[in-house]
Structure formats: structure tokens, C-alpha cells
Amino acid sequence: MKKLILTLLIGLLCVSIHANDSLTKDFVTGNPEIGSINAMTFGPEGILFLGDSKNSQIVAVDMSSAKKATNEKLYLKDIESLLGELLGADSDQVQIIDMVVNPANQNIYIGAQHSSGKSFLFLVNNNTLENIPLNAVSFSKTAVTNVVKPDAKDRRGRSLRKLAITDIQFANGRIMVSGLNNAEFASTFRAISFPFTNTQKDSSLEIYHAAHGKYETHAPIKTFMTTNINNEPHIIASYTCTPLVVFPMKDLTPGEHTKGRTVAELGNWNTPLDIIEMTRDGKRYILMANSNRALMKFKVSDIESFSSTLTTRVKERAGTDGVHFINLPFVNVQQLDKLNDTEFVFIQREANGKLVLKTSSNRWL
Amino acid sequence: MIRLTIIVLLITLEVYAQSPKFSFSKEFVKVRSTDQKNEISVFIGEYATKDELTTKKAILGNINQNSSYLTFTPLLPFQVNTTYTAVFNDDFFTFSIPLDANYNHLRVAEIYPKTSTLPSNFLKWYISFSTPVNPTHIYDHIRLINNTTKAKVDRAVLPLETPLLSDDSKLLTLWIEPGRQKRDLGPNTHLGEVLVEGESYTLAIDKNLKDTKGVPMNVDFKYSFRVIESDRTQPNIEQWRFILPKSNTKAPLIIHLNDVLDYGSLYHNLTIINNKGKVMDGVFAIETNKQQIVFTPSKYWNSDAYILKCNPLIEDISGNNLERLFDRDLQKGSKTPVLERKFYITN
């Protein structure tokens, strides 16, 4: 799902800067020992970044030489049954974790997890799913350090505290990682330089949320994207507690108490799932998938002109406030990504209960 | 066409009942064959003809041929209590891995906190399972029920795409919907906190929740509690009561917490320092349901002064930590937290 958006813009910048210095020059071939696939995003040069909570690492895999899938008409009518058949498991033992498109060739990849904890990467090809083994690939990786020391174990010798990676994005030569911690109600947000180096220092931020300027709490980020707002690189983040918040990337200083500017409250009983950016007729739009709301469409220009932070309370039950948005006629969209300049691809739970992969054109923008 | 159905009676064997031609285990199916061109496909479900398989996808796996056998190894081990069909040329072999009669079913071993009352701004539970739990669709099996109306409380628990599970997949962190627990956010303003003061509720986990092998719990889990007023007081370690061991022993140090604290936040966030400034080697047992921590040293206590050091992230069950309240009123200042307690061990 994870958003391409600025990745493309920044990717172009990186290409110009590193024209003779490929980002994959330090990659090695072998088994990156991926424990779990929790979040995925593509960077430039066909590099797929995988967030691996189980082994607390970010793995960059070179997918530039991967074959282009044949997807003349994209439609998978029942992905859960298909995964169950391919893995020989009951469909309730398998879960789709993420979907991402390689902007270089429009290949669609799906990360799925079996209840045993084993993760799989699939390529959507010929309207079925093709397993992509990750045990012999060209890769580079870096550890995402947890907030606790690795030697911290309980009396049974198990490590209790765990960072769950919720989203990753590539922008400005850095991979950004949001995560939830199972022991503290807080968000960890890290920016790690890429290509990875042995001596790198990742930036770790504390993210807070101020409700109407009155109360301030830690704010776990559920999903985020990067884009330019008023010509400045920004992060647009959605919290588990519904607000849509923007941060200027230049304000993200390690160790700082960082507070986002709330630009919208998106209603009760809702968890944001994915955000992407699309363009039509030169205008930029943000599409956001939600657990309990339709697909929302925002104009980037509305976010740019919304210069204040929300200071008044939302009046109606399940009301929303802030930047204006439109509900598109797509409900229960669970995964979302930009397929190409005119289409987006999504995975939707239909009324019959089936999980379906399909595409839509930008005529809705 | 030959159709063979294999019924397994001897369940203790690792490789199951054989026909002269076909054998199977959780990890593979094997067919006696010397023909290098033969192929084997395995499907989930019971099938007898190729017509039934036209819309089915074969299980992904690897095929190996040696001089006598063709072996199929699936990407994932075969599930128990599930019927599979192996197709080899025109032969169909139906097989199933039985569940061990002495199988230890998944159960809830403990839940933290497990008190008879909880504050209305309560934030999270930790559910400890006896064996690794299946994280997929886990929230479909967890409900909060209002004991008066007997109705499920809508959107009480936050569903995450990747549930917060410990590395051994046995400890699940369950968050109460944070949008409703944070003061002044839309959901909190319109709907109030999830838990209403004076009401009583039951946290229910249904018996269909499966372990990582696909085997369900078989027994429902229920825990009931009554809701009391919100807790907007920071925990204070100066109120902790120390029951001191004697010197020259390895007896445990027991610390009464005088509060219901968050189970997870106490892990790895406590250290005991000796008078040389070194961290004492030992084990902390976090017993928040008894409102205590027990530290058992690996070496003898000296007659000396020691310091208990606490991480400011230690919090109570409403998310108030040693440093700040969960939702801090920005108009009010904050004070420097107390993070150390000194104690003396004597004869």
C-alpha cells in the first residue's frame, strides 16, 4: 500500500545525485533471513524495502531485474481462498499484510503471513499469485534497534518488549519507519539513511499529539506518507486515534519532542489503513483507505491552505472536521497503492465477504 | 484410475500409514517412482477426479526425485485435521494428519491486569497464552460485553493489521480504542470513554481462536470487572514498600507497588545498583496482579546500601507514567519525577 508519492519525486533527485553511484552497489547476494514482512515500500531503482518486525530489521531487496508480470486485466476474485489453496491452509490462517506496486514496471507484490508467523511475498501475475522466494536475493539490510537492550529478557529468557513496524516509506535518501511498541503507548519513528552503513545513527523521534491544544499524549502512528506541502517535504501521518497530522520533515530532529499539526479529524470508529497520492490534470490528491469509512479523497491544495491546527471541537456524533474531504464510493478498502499515473490498485472486502483485488481509474479524482 | 483413501490409526508414527506406493508426514508426501518425468501435485480438500481440480490451485512446494521416490515438500507443513489430496499421474491419494489425542489446546494462561475493578480510562491488557496464538483475524475472537445489556461494546478494542505479539507469540497486547480514551479527541468527546463508570463488563475470548497450528482453544475465556472512576494520578515509587532480605542470603527482595501498574512497562525497566555502582545480576518477577515485584539475586546480598532505579516509562494501567500523565493538561506544569529508591540490607 504504501505510498509511492514523494518517493518518485525524491527518487528522481537521487538518480541525478548518484548518477554514477548505484544505490545497490553495496548489495550482497544471499539470504537476508527475513523473519516477517510487516510493511513494504518501493524506493528508486526497483529497490523493495521490507519492514521485518520479527528480526527488527529493514531489508532492501533489488527487484530491478524481476520479470514484468502479465496483468492485462487485473482482478483476483477471492484472494483469501487463493492463498489458502496455494499454502494448503485454512483461509483464516493466512492474512494479507501489505500490497505494494513497483513504480518502475507496475508489478504488484503482496506480503502475506501465515499463523505460524511465516511470511511470504507474492507477485500478482496472470491473475493468480506467484511465490517470490527471498532466500537468495541481492540485498542490503540494517537493524532497527528497539528501545530496550537486546539482553533484556524475562525469567523464562524471552524478550517481552517488541517493536511492531506499522509503515515504511522512502524519501530524501532516507527510509522512514513508524512502529508501535507492545509495552508503552507511544510511537517510535525513525529515519535511517540509505544506502545503509555500518556506522549509521538512526534518528529516533517521540511523536505527540495535542487534542485541540489542550491535552497532549503520545501518538502511535498507524500509516504515513511523504509529500511536498507548500514546496516543503512533509510527512502526513494518521494516528490510531483518528487525526490526520502533518509534520515538516525539517522539524524531525532526533531526541526532540515533535508535535504534529492536526489538519483533520476523520471520524469515530475508524482506523486509517493506507494513504497514497494521485495526480489528475496537474492537481494532486490524497486517497486514504480506512477500516470503517469509505475511501477518502483530499486535495493537497486544501491541506496547503489549511494553515492552522484544529482548535474547535467536532460538533456532531461521528463528525469530522478540518480539511475538506470527499468519500469515494469504495468501502472496506484494506490495501491501496498507486498503479500508474491514471490508476490505483486496491484490495477490498466485498459485501459477499470475499477479499478482491481490483483497479480503478483516476476518473474519481 | 485408482483412488486410495488412507485412514490413520497409529497416530504416534511420524511418517503415517503407508500404502506400498504412498507415504506422508506433516512435512512431505512421497510416492514410489523411478520415472524422472513424473509429477506430483497436492491440493487442500478431498478430490477424486481431475475435473474437480480444474479451478483449484495446487499447494506450493518443492519436488525432488531420487532413484526410488518422488517427494513433494510443501512451503508450509500440512495442517492437522485437514484433508489433502495428492495427485500422481492418474492416482489420487487422500490423506490427513490427525490431531494427537493428548494435544495441549491453546488456553489463556493469565491476563494482566486481572483486578475486580478497572478505572474508566484503562488503556491496555496483556493476554498471556499457554502456546503460540494465531495472530490472523485475532480480533474477530475478542469481544467486550456490557454485563447489563449483554451487548457487545462497539469498537472497544483497537484492531491492528499486525497485532502486538511478543516474539514467542504468546503475549498479546490489547489496546482499548485510544481515540475514545484520550480526552478531548472527537471520539472521546462524542462517545466518551469505552468503559463507563459504575458499569460492569466481560472481556470474552471465544473458543474458536486458534493456535499457530490451526487448532482452536476449545474453551471460552471470560473475565469480568466493574468500572470505577478514572485514574489521573501518576504512579509514585516513593509509596512502594520494600520487604528486605537478610545479607549473606540470596533471598528475594519483594517490592509492594501500592498500585495496579502496567505489566509490560515494568519489564526491563528496573535495575538494582550496588554500592560500587554495578548492576546487580538477578531476575525480576513482575507480579502486577499481586501488586508486587520480586527480585531474586544471583549472588548474595551484602550488608550495604543498594539503589533501585526505575525507567520513567513505567506506567500505571491508565498510561500515566513516572514522568507524565497519559493525557497531560498543557496548562499545568510538570514536576521532576522520582526515579530512584535507596534501601539498606542488614543481617
Side-chain angles (χ1 to χ4, degrees):
Chain A
M1 63 314 252
K2 319 306 184 142
K3 326 62 207 211
L4 251 297
I5 320 37
L6 187 62
T7 305
L8 282 177
L9 298 171
I10 302 304
L12 291 173
L13 279 174
C14 289
V15 167
S16 61
I17 294 164
H18 302 291
N20 298 314
D21 190 7
S22 167
L23 292 169
T24 57
K25 72 181 172 63
D26 295 327
F27 278 36
V28 295
T29 300
N31 186 347
E33 304 288 346
I34 293 167
S36 64
I37 298 174
N38 299 90
M40 306 193 289
T41 192
F42 268 96
E45 299 182 20
I47 297 170
L48 173 63
F49 292 93
L50 301 165
D52 173 359
S53 299
K54 192 166 188 180
N55 289 343
S56 297
Q57 61 180 357
I58 303 295
V59 179
V61 180
D62 183 1
M63 303 291 274
S64 59
S65 57
K67 68 173 182 188
K68 180 165 168 48
T70 308
N71 286 316
E72 283 176 11
K73 178 159 173 49
L74 265 169
Y75 187 76
L76 293 180
K77 67 175 181 183
D78 186 352
I79 307 177
E80 284 168 320
S81 289
L82 178 58
L83 282 170
E85 286 183 14
L86 292 170
L87 295 173
D90 292 334
S91 56
D92 69 354
Q93 296 294 102
V94 185
Q95 186 176 9
I96 291 169
I97 300 295
D98 206 355
M99 177 190 73
V100 70
V101 177
N102 183 350
N105 60 10
Q106 285 79 55
N107 275 1
I108 302 164
Y109 294 90
I110 288 175
Q113 189 176 40
H114 180 254
S115 62
S116 61
K118 195 164 181 187
S119 287
F120 298 91
L121 182 67
F122 288 99
L123 171 69
V124 178
N125 192 13
N126 261 327
N127 285 331
T128 186
L129 296 173
E130 195 173 295
N131 182 44
I132 307 294
L134 291 169
N135 54 4
V137 290
S138 172
F139 74 97
S140 172
K141 65 179 188 177
T142 190
V144 184
T145 46
N146 214 333
V147 287
V148 286
K149 300 182 198 86
D151 60 348
K153 302 272 172 71
D154 74 358
R155 61 179 162 172
R156 294 187 193 92
R158 67 182 180 182
S159 175
L160 180 139
R161 203 164 275 134
K162 168 98 174 277
L163 173 75
I165 295 169
T166 56
D167 207 352
I168 58 174
Q169 291 299 307
F170 182 86
N172 277 354
R174 291 190 296 178
I175 188 85
M176 277 161 287
V177 184
S178 65
L180 304 178
N181 189 301
N182 67 345
E184 284 96 28
F185 184 86
S187 198
T188 59
F189 192 87
R190 286 145 210 275
I192 304 166
S193 294
F194 182 80
F196 304 132
T197 63
N198 291 330
T199 55
Q200 71 190 336
K201 285 185 180 168
D202 59 351
S203 306
S204 175
L205 309 165
E206 274 195 293
I207 306 286
Y208 289 81
H209 168 248
H212 306 296
K214 192 172 177 196
Y215 295 107
E216 181 188 76
T217 46
H218 285 281
I221 291 177
K222 184 67 177 58
T223 183
F224 70 98
M225 57 172 277
T226 53
T227 192
N228 273 355
I229 293 178
N230 294 322
N231 299 317
E232 287 278 339
H234 275 69
I235 287 165
I236 301 184
S238 261
Y239 294 152
T240 53
C241 53
T242 91
L244 189 68
V245 172
V246 295
F247 299 89
M249 281 173 70
K250 64 178 170 56
D251 286 0
L252 298 177
T253 312
E256 288 291 309
H257 178 115
T258 306
K259 224 183 297 187
R261 183 166 62 88
T262 304
V263 294
E265 274 205 53
L266 303 170
N268 309 319
W269 302 3
N270 185 33
T271 306
L273 298 175
D274 256 336
I275 323 180
I276 64 164
E277 182 172 327
M278 296 288 293
T279 305
R280 188 184 183 192
D281 300 332
K283 291 199 174 85
R284 296 155 60 210
Y285 299 90
I286 285 167
L287 297 182
M288 187 159 100
N290 298 283
S291 64
N292 232 18
R293 290 294 166 102
L295 190 65
M296 293 173 178
K297 180 184 86 170
F298 299 81
K299 285 182 187 165
V300 174
S301 58
D302 285 347
I303 294 176
E304 289 179 325
S305 60
F306 191 88
S307 55
S308 60
T309 190
L310 284 180
T311 53
T312 54
R313 295 180 181 186
V314 184
K315 295 286 188 292
E316 298 163 26
R317 181 184 167 89
T320 58
D321 203 2
V323 173
H324 179 66
F325 64 86
I326 289 169
N327 285 321
L328 298 181
F330 302 94
V331 292
N332 297 322
V333 173
Q334 301 192 350
Q335 302 288 342
L336 173 69
D337 205 356
K338 178 179 177 175
L339 182 61
N340 53 44
D341 286 345
T342 58
E343 291 175 291
F344 53 93
V345 57
F346 58 103
I347 294 177
Q348 181 178 32
R349 176 82 62 193
E350 293 196 326
N352 61 10
K354 309 276 193 223
L355 206 54
V356 177
L357 179 142
K358 49 189 167 181
T359 60
S360 179
S361 75
N362 66 356
R363 71 189 174 93
W364 294 104
L365 301 181
Chain B
M1 183 182 299
I2 304 168
R3 184 181 171 212
L4 296 174
T5 299
I6 295 163
I7 300 165
V8 179
L9 297 173
L10 292 172
I11 55 175
T12 51
L13 291 176
E14 194 181 336
V15 177
Y16 290 97
Q18 320 276 323
S19 77
K21 200 169 181 182
F22 178 76
S23 60
F24 65 98
S25 75
K26 274 187 183 178
E27 309 290 337
F28 63 82
V29 296
K30 203 185 248 188
V31 178
R32 188 185 291 276
S33 166
T34 54
D35 185 346
Q36 298 294 321
K37 291 178 186 168
N38 281 334
E39 287 197 359
I40 187 167
S41 306
V42 182
F43 298 83
I44 185 168
E46 184 170 355
Y47 304 101
T49 66
K50 289 194 173 170
D51 286 348
E52 296 174 74
L53 294 169
T54 50
T55 61
K56 302 292 173 191
K57 298 283 182 193
I59 295 170
L60 298 171
N62 299 309
I63 296 172
N64 279 306
Q65 171 80 60
N66 66 17
S67 55
S68 330
Y69 287 100
L70 186 65
T71 306
F72 173 81
T73 309
L75 286 186
L76 287 171
F78 296 115
Q79 285 182 170
V80 295
N81 279 355
T82 304
T83 306
Y84 296 92
T85 303
V87 182
F88 173 70
N89 292 337
D90 289 331
D91 296 346
F92 283 60
F93 303 95
T94 306
F95 65 98
S96 174
I97 310 285
L99 182 67
D100 188 329
N102 298 318
Y103 190 80
N104 282 323
H105 282 267
L106 179 72
R107 62 185 170 79
V108 174
E110 187 59 288
I111 178 168
Y112 305 93
K114 195 170 72 179
T115 43
S116 58
T117 61
L118 287 174
S120 61
N121 61 341
F122 169 69
L123 199 59
K124 60 183 183 289
W125 274 293
Y126 298 87
I127 300 171
S128 176
F129 291 95
S130 58
T131 50
V133 66
N134 172 10
T136 61
H137 309 288
I138 195 166
Y139 301 105
D140 294 349
H141 300 283
I142 300 173
R143 287 170 301 148
L144 187 69
I145 296 159
N146 182 310
N147 290 350
T148 308
T149 63
K150 308 291 180 202
K152 180 188 169 198
V153 181
D154 267 335
R155 290 284 292 173
V157 170
L158 186 75
L160 294 165
E161 284 160 299
T162 308
L164 294 169
L165 267 178
S166 59
D167 278 346
D168 63 4
S169 296
K170 287 161 73 170
L171 190 75
L172 172 73
T173 306
L174 204 59
W175 277 351
I176 301 290
E177 172 67 72
R180 290 179 62 177
Q181 301 302 82
K182 287 186 175 190
R183 277 184 289 180
D184 244 22
L185 265 184
N188 171 270
T189 311
H190 305 303
L191 301 170
E193 290 164 337
V194 171
L195 306 172
V196 177
E197 188 179 337
E199 295 281 331
S200 64
Y201 298 86
T202 298
L203 180 72
I205 303 177
D206 75 64
K207 62 185 179 185
N208 298 318
L209 178 66
K210 293 175 176 174
D211 64 18
T212 53
K213 292 175 180 149
V215 182
M217 285 211 295
N218 273 2
V219 180
D220 290 330
F221 170 81
K222 286 182 179 169
Y223 153 63
S224 295
F225 59 93
R226 188 171 54 81
V227 177
I228 56 173
E229 66 178 326
S230 60
D231 177 357
R232 305 208 187 275
T233 311
Q234 285 175 255
N236 181 356
I237 70 164
E238 289 179 304
Q239 291 175 4
W240 293 5
R241 191 163 54 84
F242 289 62
I243 298 177
L244 299 171
K246 296 285 183 196
S247 62
N248 299 315
T249 71
K250 288 185 186 176
L253 164 69
I254 300 168
I255 304 169
H256 283 282
L257 303 171
N258 201 31
D259 197 353
V260 186
L261 295 186
D262 178 82
Y263 176 74
S265 79
L266 283 161
Y267 264 93
H268 322 312
N269 278 337
L270 296 161
T271 43
I272 290 174
I273 312 290
N274 65 20
N275 72 336
K276 292 178 181 132
K278 294 270 169 59
V279 175
M280 284 275 287
D281 201 20
V283 173
F284 280 99
I286 308 299
E287 299 175 356
T288 48
N289 285 340
K290 295 183 191 167
Q291 296 196 23
Q292 69 178 24
I293 302 162
V294 179
F295 176 77
T296 307
S298 51
K299 291 182 180 162
Y300 291 96
W301 295 101
N302 293 326
S303 286
D304 223 330
Y306 291 85
I307 293 170
L308 172 75
K309 276 194 164 183
C310 301
N311 188 309
L313 294 177
I314 291 172
E315 63 188 37
D316 64 23
I317 56 172
S318 297
N320 306 305
N321 68 28
L322 298 180
E323 200 168 47
R324 49 181 284 147
L325 285 171
F326 172 64
D327 44 3
R328 186 168 69 93
D329 189 333
L330 291 168
Q331 272 85 53
K332 291 183 181 167
S334 56
K335 56 183 181 185
T336 310
V338 176
L339 300 174
E340 291 184 5
R341 282 283 304 269
K342 196 168 192 176
F343 58 95
Y344 297 89
I345 302 291
T346 56
N347 278 319

